[in-house]
């Protein structure tokens, strides 16, 4: 049975019934985007950015944006409602059965994590945080936001950064990155720091430039697509030679044209003349690969002859990492790394990378199985049946939500019921929970039920889709469709405000 009011002490433990040799590695597709949007509103069509017409649909989307507009009026509204970028991305992906699992915003920095619905109960230990880099006059609008989680037991971390600008600040950019890596911490014994995670993605407007080469040579290489002639003078490539932490991160070849700086609404590199303090014209910005996506697979710890049971602290963690690496391998392959020239609302072009993750799942079953009992409609009170499949830290704040198929996020429910408050019957295997007919939509819909764990702060079980039937009483009483629509909207509005 469940542990009442248990405390989260780290990642969900692997299912011991799944031992090596009993199951195979599986592949998952990850689509990543980084884009400095220069305070612009989102484009109407996200098809090319998200590869929506690709025959292979991703399992996960991770989208990192920089310079999302955060003026005083907009920033206040965004604290209550989703910003326009989040809203459009959710509206685009939800009909394709992707759910926004987590997001975090720090002023202009925004990070969103989407998953196919089928994976959601296996995404746990979700935490998000941010770090401001307040030196060099960039307090607030520069720094890093991160989302970390376990995906079928494998600890992943996604770090979206916007680092100091301008050619001369390459060293400061590295200092800011290392500061973010050192100071961000999480409430998880297994992976309390970014470097403890099995796989880390570092991306964003990192602002590294191409130095030494002149404007004419750089533009000539771009026109001739001889990008490799510029790689040796890319600041990030150069800084890697002397920085241990940078050397642990991998990046695919920069076989696409530099993504900064463009004239707005064009594919023309910076052609404007800049006015200086004394009225003279300043230099045009030299093209550069400012927008990057890198990754770090945790280095394998060397084997040791010492007994594992004598280990404590970080050493014990390393031993655990060795065992995990062997028992549950994780491999990564980059399938695509490119810029997208079709979008011109910003002076940056978006960068896209597609990865394949091959891993052995640490668990195959959700923590909870649940289903709708009998026929559902607004004419009769309904029942939910759920069964705990593994021990987990339950709470009086756990709830079960009713969602329309194609919901956007955890908060996009039609209604919800508190598990403990509305529990009507249970035995060792099955628990029955009551849902009032007053909360069920009168028009009906195709729906699913989701069990949300307050302690784990994630969905840990999803039912099969089922039909909520249109209310016969409402139909017989002659309620028009407009009236019924209004009732449904009232219920949804009340739920959102509460």
């Amino acid at each position: 049975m469940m542990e009442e009011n248990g405390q989260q002490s780290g990642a969900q433990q692997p299912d011991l019934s799944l031992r090596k040799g009993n199951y195979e590695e599986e592949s998952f597709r990850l689509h990543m985007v980084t884009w400095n949007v220069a305070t612009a509103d989102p484009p109407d069509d996200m098809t090319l950015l998200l590869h929506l017409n690709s025959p292979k649909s991703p399992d996960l989307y991770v989208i990192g944006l920089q310079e999302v507009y955060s003026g005083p009026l907009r920033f206040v509204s965004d604290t209550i409602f989703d910003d326009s970028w989040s809203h459009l991305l959710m509206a685009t992906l939800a009909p394709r059965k992707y759910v926004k699992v987590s997001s975090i915003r720090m002023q202009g920095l925004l990070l969103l994590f989407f998953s196919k619905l089928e994976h959601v109960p296996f995404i746990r230990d979700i935490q998000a945080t941010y770090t401001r880099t307040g030196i060099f006059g960039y307090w607030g609008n520069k720094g890093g936001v991160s989302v970390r989680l376990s995906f079928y037991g494998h600890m992943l971390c996604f770090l979206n950064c916007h680092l100091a600008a301008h050619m001369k600040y390459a060293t400061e950019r590295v200092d800011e990155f290392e500061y973010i890596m050192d100071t961000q911490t999480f409430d998880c014994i297994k992976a309390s720091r970014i470097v403890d995670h099995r796989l880390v993605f570092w991306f964003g407007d990192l602002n590294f430039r191409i130095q030494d080469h002149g404007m004419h040579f750089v533009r000539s290489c771009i026109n001739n697509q001889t990008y490799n002639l510029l790689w040796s003078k890319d600041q990030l490539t150069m800084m890697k030679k002397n920085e241990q932490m940078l050397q642990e991160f991998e990046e695919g070849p920069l076989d696409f044209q530099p993504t900064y700086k463009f004239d707005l609404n064009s594919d023309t590199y910076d052609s404007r003349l800049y006015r200086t303090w004394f009225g003279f014209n300043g230099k045009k910005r030299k093209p550069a690969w400012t927008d990057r996506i890198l990754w770090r697979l945790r280095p394998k710890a060397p084997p040791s002859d010492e007994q594992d049971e004598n280990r404590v602290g970080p050493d014990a963690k390393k031993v655990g990492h060795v065992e995990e690496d062997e028992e549950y391998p994780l491999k990564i392959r980059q399938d695509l790394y490119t810029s997208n020239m079709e979008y011109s609302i910003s002076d940056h072009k978006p960068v896209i990378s597609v990865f394949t993750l091959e891993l052995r799942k640490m668990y195959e079953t959700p923590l909870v199985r649940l289903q709708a009992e009998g026929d559902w409609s607004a004419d009769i009170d309904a029942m939910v049946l759920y069964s705990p499949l593994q021990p987990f830290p339950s709470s009086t704040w756990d709830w079960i939500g009713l969602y329309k198929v194609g919901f956007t996020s955890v908060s996009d429910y039609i209604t919800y019921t508190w598990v403990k408050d509305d529990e009507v019957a249970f035995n060792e295997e099955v628990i029955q929970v009551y849902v009032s007919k007053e909360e069920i939509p009168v028009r009906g819909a195709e729906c699913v039920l989701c069990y949300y764990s307050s302690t784990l702060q994630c969905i840990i079980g999803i039912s099969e889709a089922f039909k909520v039937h249109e209310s016969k009483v409402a139909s017989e009483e002659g309620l028009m469709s407009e009236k019924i629509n209004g009732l449904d909207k009232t219920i949804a509005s009340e739920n959102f405000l509460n």
Side-chain angles (χ1 to χ4, degrees), residues 48 60 217 236 255 259 301 317 359 364 383 443 467 471:
L48 294 172
L60 306 171
F217 181 77
L236 180 54
D255 283 330
T259 52
K317 187 184 290 185
L359 57 86
E364 296 262 21
M383 291 292 175
R443 284 185 59 84
K467 179 73 174 177
S471 169

Side-chain angles (χ1 to χ4, degrees), residues 344-388:
S344 57
I345 58 174
S346 167
D347 55 357
H348 291 249
K349 299 297 182 183
V351 169
I352 297 168
S353 186
V354 177
F355 296 92
T356 295
L357 304 183
E358 293 185 3
L359 57 86
R360 280 200 175 111
K361 296 177 180 177
M362 294 188 188
Y363 35 77
E364 296 262 21
T365 57
L367 296 177
V368 168
R369 178 181 293 127
L370 69 163
Q371 66 183 70
E373 183 178 25
D375 290 335
W376 279 47
S377 78
D379 298 334
I380 187 171
D381 295 335
M383 291 292 175
V384 179
L385 301 179
Y386 80 89
S387 305

Side-chain angles (χ1 to χ4, degrees), residues 89-131:
L89 286 163
M90 288 191 291
T92 301
L93 291 173
R96 298 169 182 265
K97 296 187 178 179
Y98 290 93
V99 176
K100 187 189 78 172
V101 173
S102 183
S103 65
I104 184 168
R105 179 171 181 182
M106 183 190 76
Q107 214 157 313
L109 271 170
L110 177 64
L111 176 57
L112 302 119
F113 182 98
F114 292 87
S115 168
K116 275 187 176 177
L117 182 63
E118 66 197 74
H119 303 307
V120 169
F122 305 98
I123 299 174
R124 304 170 191 167
D125 307 300
I126 305 164
Q127 294 181 46
T129 190
Y130 65 90
T131 302

Side-chain angles (χ1 to χ4, degrees), residues 128-333:
T129 190
Y130 65 90
T131 302
R132 301 180 190 273
T133 50
I135 51 178
F136 313 114
Y138 296 109
W139 180 265
N141 68 331
K142 297 291 193 297
V145 292
S146 63
V147 169
R148 51 88 62 194
L149 48 86
S150 67
F151 182 68
Y152 291 98
H154 295 266
M155 307 302 288
L156 311 181
C157 185
F158 300 88
L159 172 61
N160 172 25
C161 288
H162 192 185
L163 304 180
H166 305 304
M167 178 72 73
K168 63 183 179 180
Y169 287 130
T171 301
E172 286 79 3
R173 287 188 270 280
V174 175
D175 290 343
E176 288 181 352
F177 168 62
E178 292 182 344
Y179 173 75
I180 293 167
M181 291 286 288
D182 289 341
T183 57
Q184 283 200 359
T185 58
F186 306 98
D187 182 20
C188 178
I189 294 173
K190 189 177 179 182
S192 58
R193 302 180 306 151
I194 293 176
V195 293
D196 296 328
H197 289 74
R198 191 77 179 276
L199 181 59
V200 178
F201 292 92
W202 172 40
F203 53 103
D205 181 0
L206 308 186
N207 253 323
F208 290 102
R209 309 304 171 99
I210 297 170
Q211 67 181 51
D212 298 335
H213 292 312
M215 179 77 80
H216 178 76
F217 181 77
V218 170
R219 292 200 172 188
S220 175
C221 289
I222 293 170
N223 292 335
N224 296 326
Q225 297 186 12
T226 53
Y227 308 124
N228 59 305
L229 299 180
L230 303 174
W231 292 346
S232 65
K233 297 301 181 180
D234 168 70
Q235 287 180 335
L236 180 54
T237 303
M238 297 170 71
M239 299 297 285
K240 264 191 169 189
K241 295 176 182 178
N242 300 316
E243 298 291 339
Q244 169 86 31
M245 189 173 290
L246 293 181
Q247 291 169 9
E248 295 180 359
F249 282 83
E250 297 183 58
E251 184 179 21
L254 297 167
D255 283 330
F256 53 91
Q257 65 187 85
T259 52
Y260 176 81
K261 172 182 172 77
F262 288 87
D263 293 341
L264 293 181
N265 302 310
S266 79
D267 292 337
T268 304
Y269 282 104
D270 191 15
S271 62
R272 295 181 301 170
L273 296 176
Y274 293 88
R275 186 168 295 278
T276 67
W277 286 103
F278 301 103
F280 299 104
N281 291 324
K283 292 183 179 179
K284 301 180 180 69
R285 298 290 190 272
K286 190 163 55 173
W289 287 290
T290 57
D291 310 281
R292 313 285 275 268
I293 299 175
L294 298 90
W295 71 95
R296 174 190 182 268
L297 198 58
R298 188 177 62 209
K300 292 185 178 180
S304 174
D305 295 332
E306 296 182 36
Q307 293 297 314
D308 293 355
E309 56 266 24
N310 295 329
R311 301 298 189 99
V312 293
D315 287 341
K317 187 184 290 185
K318 288 180 181 178
V319 171
H321 287 169
V322 172
E323 293 174 348
E324 182 179 271
D325 292 350
E326 293 177 352
E327 190 74 15
Y328 301 101
L330 170 64
K331 302 172 186 174
I332 180 171
R333 181 182 74 242

